[in-house]
Amino acid sequence: MTATAAPAPSSVLAVPPAAPDAAAAYFAARLAFHTDVADVHAALAAGPADFVVVDSRSTGSWDQGHVPGAVHLPTAQIPQLAAEFLDPAVPVVVYCWGPGCDGATRAALALARLGYRVKEMLGGIEYWIREGYEVETWEGTRQLPPDPLTAPVDGGDCGC
C-alpha cells in the first residue's frame, strides 16, 4: 500500500490564519484606527456627531467637493492650524482623495503627534462620492448615484 502525500495548502493558507485571540486583537486595533464612509455618513445623518471630519486635501481639491460640514485643514498646515480649528477633546476623522492616496494617513499621523485622537476614513472622498453621498462644492451641493461596485444601488444598508 502506497501512502499518498497530503496536498500542499492553497496559497490562501500557505501562511495559516492567526489564532482567534490574536485575530480579535488585530481586528479590534484596526477598527481603532479606521472607519468607513458608510459609518461616517450614518453618524453625521443621525444628528450631532461626536467627532469632527477633516478634509486634508488642497484648496482646489476641497473646492471640487468635500464632505458636508467637514473642516478644511490641508496636511501641510496641520501643525500650524490644528489648534485653531480643532478641539483636542473631540475625536477627528480625516480623509483625503481615496484608497490610492496616503494623504489621510499623513494627516492622521500629524494630528496624532499633536495629541488628537484620530481615525482615517477608508476610501476617502472617492468612496464618499461613489457611495452616492452628497458633497459640498464652491458652486453648491451635488450628488451622484451610487456606484453599483461600491454600494447598494437601492440606497439601502449593505448589511456589513
Side-chain angles (χ1 to χ4, degrees):
M1 187 177 241
T2 309
T4 54
S10 67
S11 58
V12 172
L13 297 180
V15 174
D21 58 338
Y26 168 81
F27 292 118
R30 189 170 188 269
L31 290 171
F33 297 106
H34 299 106
T35 188
D36 63 36
V37 297
D39 287 345
V40 171
H41 180 266
L44 294 174
D50 50 0
F51 59 91
V52 63
V53 178
V54 169
D55 184 315
S56 65
R57 299 173 302 144
S58 69
T59 298
S61 299
W62 166 268
D63 288 346
Q64 277 182 250
H66 53 272
V67 171
V71 172
H72 184 220
L73 194 55
T75 301
Q77 297 175 3
I78 287 172
Q80 297 80 25
L81 299 177
E84 183 179 335
F85 293 99
L86 303 174
D87 178 348
V90 178
V92 176
V93 173
V94 66
Y95 71 89
C96 199
W97 273 110
C101 172
D102 275 339
T105 304
R106 285 190 291 277
L109 175 59
L111 289 163
R113 284 179 170 162
L114 292 172
Y116 292 90
R117 293 176 300 144
V118 62
K119 287 189 173 199
E120 181 178 352
M121 185 174 80
L122 295 175
I125 195 69
E126 176 188 346
Y127 275 71
W128 183 272
I129 293 168
R130 290 180 74 182
E131 291 195 20
Y133 303 134
E134 187 175 78
V135 295
E136 293 177 339
T137 74
W138 66 275
E139 297 175 308
T141 58
R142 72 178 164 95
Q143 187 171 9
L144 298 174
D147 179 337
L149 295 175
T150 63
V153 293
D154 64 2
D157 184 357
C158 71
C160 63

